[in-house]
Amino acid sequence: MGDKRIAVQGWAAKNQSGVLSPYNFTRRKTGPNDVTFKVVYCGICHSDLHQLRNEWHNSKYPLVPGHEVVGLVTEVGSQVKKFSVGDRVGVGCMVRSCHSCDTCEKGQEQFCEKVVWTYNSTDVDGSTTYGGYSSLMVCDEKFVIKVPLSLPFDEAAPLLCAGITVYSPMIHFGMTEPGNRLGVVGLGGLGHMAVKFGKAFGLHVTVNSTYSKKEKETKEVLGADHFLISKDENQMKEAAKTLDYIIDTVSADHPLPPLLNLLRVNGKLVVVGLPPKPLQFPAGSVVFGRKFVGGSCIGGIQETQDMMDFCAEHNISCMIEKIPVDYVNTAMERLEK
């Protein structure tokens, strides 16, 4: 086996303290359909923190997180058609699916029952997958995304999770009609991307946040049209029945009825966060007004490529703070706060 594996340096948590430390491991050699790339940047996603600390009760240690990974191709397999050495590429949340089920055939690989996630998942050979907090990735070309040259490489990385998570439901649920009104709940990684996509689609965008301090940045930097403080009952009352769509990105427990109250008749609320407790609302809050509550999870591979190309065309990228990898534990503490 010795000569068939590639040595890789990464950062792993050894237990549910979630503390990351340097970890050496190996990846498979480039297979006929594989793309191997040197990792240049990897985003930190809130799900990394959940998984590091076993908050979803499925973590396998040692755990190497990271599913917003971009890098430069160093080697391609003999059957690879779409990529060549030197290309700028990315890998998001998935690295494999069955390609034969109904959802795979529809380009919705994220819902495949045999999907293999980029980390903390069991691959077809029985090994545990390791993510992008590492020096090198090897991935089947079907799950590799081209990163257009016009996008800043570091700011493109979080598009592979945060970006697609809000882009996909906007496309799927038709939340793109110019002139319509979009509400974005929560202004973290997902929320700020929803604002940017909303403006690119020609929507009037309202941000709903608990933090009044974010108003200036929301309007001046992101270009949102309106800012609502969710704890201000008067503001919320005045905004009743003013929105056509809402994307709810919040992963903390929060009530839905005040948000449903903001929707017009036929309005749609799509949940993309994962609060720990079940969501509840009275039937009347959706029956009277024919309102819709739905959910969405990342996006398929072709859709992710479409989003990446849309971002290049509209000059959209993520607002980021760049850190060295040895700062990662401090970054996790800050993320938690």
Side-chain angles (χ1 to χ4, degrees), residues 110-166:
Q110 75 272 34
F111 301 122
C112 173
E113 288 185 8
K114 294 180 181 169
V115 68
V116 177
W117 305 111
T118 303
Y119 69 87
N120 196 46
S121 199
T122 304
D123 211 342
V124 284
D125 62 1
S127 66
T128 298
T129 54
Y130 290 143
Y133 291 21
S134 59
S135 56
L136 186 108
M137 293 283 287
V138 181
C139 185
D140 186 300
E141 78 162 326
K142 288 193 177 97
F143 289 85
V144 179
I145 305 296
K146 271 196 161 127
V147 180
L149 284 168
S150 61
L151 285 176
F153 209 20
D154 49 1
E155 295 174 15
L159 292 172
L160 294 158
C161 175
I164 189 61
T165 296
V166 293

Side-chain angles (χ1 to χ4, degrees), residues 158-178:
L159 292 172
L160 294 158
C161 175
I164 189 61
T165 296
V166 293
Y167 179 88
S168 178
M170 292 179 85
I171 297 293
H172 179 79
F173 293 112
M175 301 161 80
T176 57
E177 296 166 53

Side-chain angles (χ1 to χ4, degrees), residues 43-56 58-59 63 65-68 93 119-120 133 161-162 165 190 251 274 298 332 335:
I44 293 178
C45 178
H46 207 107
S47 48
D48 297 345
L49 187 59
H50 289 304
Q51 296 269 34
L52 285 169
R53 297 186 180 170
N54 197 25
E55 287 169 6
W56 292 342
N58 66 350
S59 299
L63 189 150
H67 60 202
E68 302 176 341
C93 302
Y119 69 87
N120 196 46
Y133 291 21
C161 175
T165 296
L190 297 171
S251 281
L274 288 166
I298 55 170
M332 290 295 171
L335 183 61

Side-chain angles (χ1 to χ4, degrees), residues 256-318:
L256 281 198
L259 301 180
L260 290 167
N261 200 38
L262 300 174
L263 286 175
R264 292 170 167 167
V265 170
N266 296 321
K268 299 169 187 171
L269 186 155
V270 179
V271 174
V272 292
L274 288 166
K277 289 181 186 160
L279 299 170
Q280 292 183 319
F281 52 88
S285 64
V286 291
V287 169
F288 301 109
R290 195 162 60 185
K291 296 171 187 179
F292 168 90
V293 177
S296 188
C297 174
I298 55 170
I301 294 301
Q302 184 54 53
E303 190 173 45
T304 304
Q305 187 64 64
D306 293 345
M307 173 220 52
M308 200 60 91
D309 297 340
F310 179 88
C311 287
E313 192 184 324
H314 294 270
N315 198 24
I316 293 172
S317 57
C318 301

